[in-house]
Amino acid sequence: FVLSFPAVRREIFKKFGGSEQIGSDENRIISALKETISIGSNNAVDSVSKIDGFLRNQAIKILVPEKIKMLADGLGKIGYQEKVDDFILSMNRAAEAAAPKARALFIDAVKEISFGDAKSILNGGDTAASDYFKDKTSDKLYETFKPVISSHMNDVGVTSYYKDMASKFASLPFLKSEALDLDDYVTNKALEGLFFMIG
């Protein structure tokens, strides 16, 4: 389910007689829109929360950070590709573990949709609903996701995979990697992937 709304807009406008008459049916329009957004956001959360929800979806899979891509590529070439693959797997598993936390925040955001918000969404672009979610939930989602991701990454050894890669790479002085906040990187990528699936 994708929250791009050309078809939804057409149906709602048809049902209620066109956008110029929207004001007389505020409650029904908001109710219909909330239901649509609730279903779509719930399906998006379900999609990314399952095992391989991030890992097997090439559109949102969390890859090696650009800052250490040279490090990972170098390790792969000298026989340590399995370590790199474990690192990628563990980042995606952390994102999948955090994703269910979005559900409650999305429910709250849907409850807060006003008639003005509904009009903006219905008259907006194809990603107007996901843009609404970004505006209303991004900061809270980050605060909610980051500790979950940090804890999960410690449990599954993301940081140790990274340190292990870095230590092996340290023996190659002609290549250097930049410092990286892995928790921040994975949290932001998890949010990007979630909003992509909604939008």
Side-chain angles (χ1 to χ4, degrees), residues 12-88:
I12 290 179
F13 288 157
K14 188 194 314 180
K15 186 173 181 179
F16 296 107
S19 58
E20 68 278 0
Q21 296 179 17
I22 264 178
S24 63
D25 292 290
E26 288 185 17
N27 290 335
R28 285 193 291 167
I29 290 170
I30 293 174
S31 177
L33 184 64
K34 284 183 175 182
E35 182 178 359
T36 302
I37 292 177
S38 293
I39 292 169
S41 61
N42 191 61
N43 288 348
V45 172
D46 284 345
S47 173
V48 299
S49 298
K50 62 187 180 183
I51 295 295
D52 292 339
F54 273 85
L55 187 69
R56 299 299 176 195
N57 184 334
Q58 294 305 310
I60 63 171
K61 179 180 180 179
I62 301 175
L63 302 174
V64 172
E66 196 61 37
K67 283 185 175 182
I68 60 169
K69 192 173 185 309
M70 186 179 290
L71 181 156
D73 289 346
L75 285 174
K77 290 175 182 175
I78 61 172
Y80 292 101
Q81 187 59 48
E82 186 176 346
K83 288 289 182 186
V84 177
D85 292 342
D86 287 342
F87 177 59
I88 292 171

Side-chain angles (χ1 to χ4, degrees), residues 4-17:
S4 57
F5 282 102
V8 175
R9 278 197 294 269
R10 283 195 300 273
E11 288 304 310
I12 290 179
F13 288 157
K14 188 194 314 180
K15 186 173 181 179
F16 296 107

Side-chain angles (χ1 to χ4, degrees), residues 95-157:
E96 293 158 8
K101 297 291 185 181
R103 202 181 310 275
L105 292 173
F106 285 166
I107 288 170
D108 289 343
V110 169
K111 287 177 182 176
E112 293 174 4
I113 292 176
S114 66
F115 181 61
D117 294 327
K119 283 178 67 177
S120 296
I121 291 170
L122 288 170
N123 293 316
D126 289 351
T127 59
S130 53
D131 292 341
Y132 169 82
F133 272 133
K134 279 184 184 179
D135 181 58
K136 294 293 183 180
T137 66
S138 286
D139 290 344
K140 290 178 182 176
L141 279 171
Y142 184 91
E143 292 171 6
T144 303
F145 271 38
K146 191 171 183 181
V148 175
I149 285 173
S150 178
S151 174
H152 193 79
M153 290 192 352
N154 285 333
D155 290 343
V156 300

